[in-house]
Amino acid sequence: EEELKDDDVKKREAVTAIIRNAIRLQRIAELILDITRIESKRLNLDKEQLNLKDVILTAMDDVIINIIKDAKSDRIKLRYEPKEDIIVEADRSRLMEVISNLLSNAYKFTKEGFIFITTEQKDGQIFVSVGDTGSGISSDIFPSLFSKFATKSDKGIGLGLFISKSIIEAHGGRIWAENNVHGKRGATFTFSLPLSEQQQ
């Protein structure tokens, strides 16, 4: 009977591994399709009037759900204090992709401390920053940070930031990164988007 139980456990583990790898392969296929669209200038956006605050909160929920079983999840606090509504004309799923990617990267390179999101409205634009108390951006990768296949992680293929940059620029914004200063650990990624006319 014990052998049967062990056999069931092994089967479940095998099925779980297959599903996990299938999801990873699907994600890689989607990334490659995105690269093809970007390079052929066919990255179409399905724009709508939306509240960026809601998109940020949803992306945070998704990342929390995905990392909740991670052993270090209780050593990292995710901070975001929503202020006023932020109305932009944008592609909801694409912005979700950008914010989720920045949050996932921050978590990947942070052992403990904080990951924080801040927003600031200025000159008809919204600036969204994702910062962390992680290892920061190494000097050897900084110049090519938003290029294809640029990564210091053994768990990624270095396409996320390239695609994020393309998505933000397609919205008429820009994205950049910097290591935190004044003795603070980690790095901060910031992107800007034009505010909707009704928000200005």
Side-chain angles (χ1 to χ4, degrees):
E1 193 172 326
E2 285 299 321
E3 285 184 15
L4 282 173
K5 284 183 181 177
D6 289 343
D7 200 38
D8 285 343
V9 169
K10 287 176 183 175
K11 283 178 182 175
R12 279 199 298 273
E13 287 175 350
V15 169
T16 301
I18 290 167
I19 292 169
R20 187 173 60 246
N21 283 309
I23 291 169
R24 184 169 181 271
L25 286 171
Q26 181 186 16
R27 179 63 185 141
I28 291 171
E30 288 169 354
L31 289 171
I32 291 168
L33 278 172
D34 274 347
I35 294 292
T36 304
R37 292 187 187 106
I38 289 164
E39 293 186 333
S40 61
K41 295 182 171 45
R42 288 188 296 107
L43 185 66
N44 297 321
L45 300 177
D46 186 13
K47 287 187 176 183
E48 60 178 305
Q49 292 279 319
L50 55 84
N51 190 343
L52 186 58
K53 180 174 73 173
D54 295 336
V55 178
I56 292 170
L57 289 169
T58 305
M60 287 175 63
D61 286 343
D62 284 356
V63 170
I64 289 168
I65 289 167
N66 287 329
I67 68 175
I68 201 69
K69 294 178 182 176
D70 194 302
K72 69 176 182 177
S73 61
D74 60 345
R75 301 200 306 271
I76 301 172
K77 305 299 181 191
L78 192 52
R79 287 182 172 175
Y80 173 51
E81 297 177 5
K83 299 174 186 175
E84 64 277 358
D85 291 340
I86 306 163
I87 308 302
V88 295
E89 186 175 339
D91 186 313
R92 183 182 300 273
S93 64
R94 289 298 187 180
L95 286 189
M96 270 279 294
E97 186 177 350
V98 172
I99 297 165
S100 295
N101 181 58
L102 295 180
L103 286 171
S104 297
N105 281 351
Y107 185 79
K108 198 182 298 178
F109 292 102
T110 303
K111 290 183 179 178
E112 60 183 358
F114 298 94
I115 295 170
F116 52 88
I117 302 177
T118 59
T119 58
E120 180 186 7
Q121 297 184 33
K122 185 179 178 182
D123 300 329
Q125 293 188 307
I126 181 69
F127 296 85
V128 179
S129 295
V130 177
D132 61 62
T133 57
S135 56
I137 306 162
S138 63
S139 57
D140 59 332
I141 200 171
F142 216 119
S144 59
L145 194 60
F146 293 95
S147 302
K148 280 186 294 184
F149 308 117
T151 182
K152 291 291 283 188
S153 168
D154 56 0
K155 295 180 180 177
I157 55 175
L159 293 176
L161 288 177
F162 174 77
I163 291 171
S164 294
K165 180 175 185 285
S166 301
I167 290 170
I168 293 300
E169 289 179 349
H171 279 87
R174 62 191 186 95
I175 187 170
W176 65 95
E178 54 199 346
N179 281 316
N180 298 333
V181 294
H182 306 305
K184 294 180 181 177
R185 291 179 301 154
T188 299
F189 285 77
T190 303
F191 66 83
S192 65
L193 292 172
L195 285 165
S196 171
E197 289 183 9
Q198 70 184 69
Q199 178 91 22
Q200 296 179 36

